[in-house]
Amino acid sequence: MSVMKRLSMIFKSKANKALDKMEDPRETLDYSYQRQLELLQKVRRGVADVATSRKRVELQINQIEQQATRLEDQGRKALSVGREDLAREALTRRSSLQTQIADLRVQHDNLQAEEEKLTTASQRLQAKVDSFRHKKETIKATYTAAEAQTRINEAFSGISEEMGDVGLAIQRAEDKTAQMQARAGAIDELLASGALDDFSGSRTDDIQAELDRMGGGRDVELELAKMKAELGQGSAPQSSIEQGQPQAQPQPQSQTQQLRQPGEPA
């Protein structure tokens, strides 16, 4: 196979595939139906033209028959007045007209037969066009339903072009979100381990955190001691309060001291 033949075959196959992809059966059916309507219209015009010609021949026959009748009357009158020569001339002309009438009748019969033939063809074509129209609408409705069902199934299965693009967009968004979450977690771990410096100053090391916690507990104890002193539940030396030392609890009295009356020697 030569190079040109191969190129021609490749081009034809590509063109056929592109045309097949672009072709819509509904549009093809509508176009075929339109062509049939045009053909039916031509047949009807042909029937009308033949009928017009037949009618014109009928008018010519009527006119010639009227002329022939007048010539016959003229021949009778001429013969009645003794003008045989005029009567012969009128009859001669009438005979010529009779020949024309015979020819026109033959033409009229042919036109009438052609008209009947075209009328029958027009009726058959009309029935065929009507049948094709009903079939066309049925096929179009079936194709539309099948196309819709195919698109729905493709959407559910995710293999359609539109849903495929949506799926890819969702997948990219999920991947990017997971990547950002992993990056944020890694940075937090690096900041906690001290591998990275926190320039915002919001984070402290473990020693400073422990010192802050202890200082906060001492402040609580001091505040509690002050509140007890104010309520009369006991007093503590100022130095102990300031140093955060817990106040010494009073020792409980013995049973003998509890029973001794006031004023009695201990």
Side-chain angles (χ1 to χ4, degrees):
M1 182 181 294
S2 64
V3 177
M4 294 301 298
K5 288 183 178 180
R6 291 182 63 186
L7 289 175
S8 176
M9 182 178 295
I10 293 173
F11 177 77
K12 290 180 180 179
S13 63
K14 295 291 186 182
N16 184 49
K17 185 177 181 180
L19 291 175
D20 184 68
K21 186 177 181 180
M22 294 172 58
E23 182 182 8
D24 190 343
R26 293 167 294 188
E27 296 178 353
T28 303
L29 290 172
D30 289 337
Y31 177 74
S32 300
Y33 178 69
Q34 186 64 31
R35 292 297 302 272
Q36 291 184 10
L37 289 179
E38 293 176 357
L39 179 60
L40 179 62
Q41 189 66 24
K42 289 181 180 180
V43 173
R44 288 177 176 175
R45 284 199 297 266
V47 174
D49 293 340
V50 173
T52 302
S53 299
R54 176 184 58 78
K55 192 65 177 179
R56 188 180 298 113
V57 171
E58 289 179 357
L59 293 175
Q60 291 178 357
I61 291 174
N62 292 332
Q63 292 176 358
I64 294 174
E65 285 180 346
Q66 291 175 3
Q67 293 178 7
T69 301
R70 285 197 302 268
L71 288 173
E72 185 179 0
D73 293 339
Q74 290 174 359
R76 291 179 184 277
K77 290 180 182 180
L79 189 60
S80 64
V81 296
R83 296 292 304 271
E84 185 177 349
D85 56 339
L86 292 178
R88 184 178 290 105
E89 180 65 23
L91 293 176
T92 301
R93 292 182 180 180
R94 179 177 177 276
S95 177
S96 177
L97 292 178
Q98 290 293 336
T99 302
Q100 293 182 15
I101 290 174
D103 294 339
L104 288 175
R105 287 190 182 278
V106 173
Q107 185 177 359
H108 177 270
D109 294 339
N110 293 333
L111 290 173
Q112 189 172 5
E114 185 68 20
E115 181 182 355
E116 293 176 355
K117 185 187 299 183
L118 289 176
T119 302
T120 303
S122 176
Q123 292 174 351
R124 291 179 179 177
L125 183 58
Q126 179 66 55
K128 183 179 179 181
V129 170
D130 292 340
S131 177
F132 180 80
R133 179 172 61 84
H134 294 301
K135 188 175 182 180
K136 172 182 72 71
E137 295 300 328
T138 302
I139 294 175
K140 286 175 61 177
T142 304
Y143 180 84
T144 302
E147 184 182 30
Q149 186 64 38
T150 301
R151 290 182 177 177
I152 292 173
N153 293 338
E154 288 180 350
F156 281 140
S157 60
I159 62 175
S160 63
E161 184 176 355
E162 294 83 359
M163 295 303 297
D165 294 339
V166 173
L168 290 176
I170 294 175
Q171 184 63 38
R172 288 195 299 269
E174 291 178 349
D175 294 342
K176 192 171 183 179
T177 302
Q179 182 180 0
M180 294 299 294
Q181 290 176 347
R183 183 179 179 85
I187 293 175
D188 287 340
E189 292 181 358
L190 292 174
L191 288 174
S193 63
L196 292 179
D197 293 333
D198 185 5
F199 295 100
S200 63
S202 60
R203 296 180 62 91
T204 58
D205 54 13
D206 296 339
I207 299 175
Q208 184 64 37
E210 184 66 20
L211 292 175
D212 293 340
R213 186 182 63 81
M214 293 176 63
R218 184 170 58 252
D219 294 339
V220 171
E221 294 296 335
L222 291 174
E223 187 67 24
L224 182 60
K226 290 180 180 180
M227 291 177 63
K228 288 181 177 181
E230 292 175 358
L231 294 175
Q233 294 182 0
S235 60
Q238 186 67 24
S239 60
S240 300
I241 296 177
E242 292 177 355
Q243 295 176 2
Q245 298 297 329
Q247 181 181 357
Q249 298 294 331
Q251 295 296 326
Q253 296 179 354
S254 62
Q255 187 175 3
T256 304
Q257 293 176 347
Q258 291 178 359
L259 295 176
R260 182 176 296 114
Q261 295 298 327
E264 294 182 358

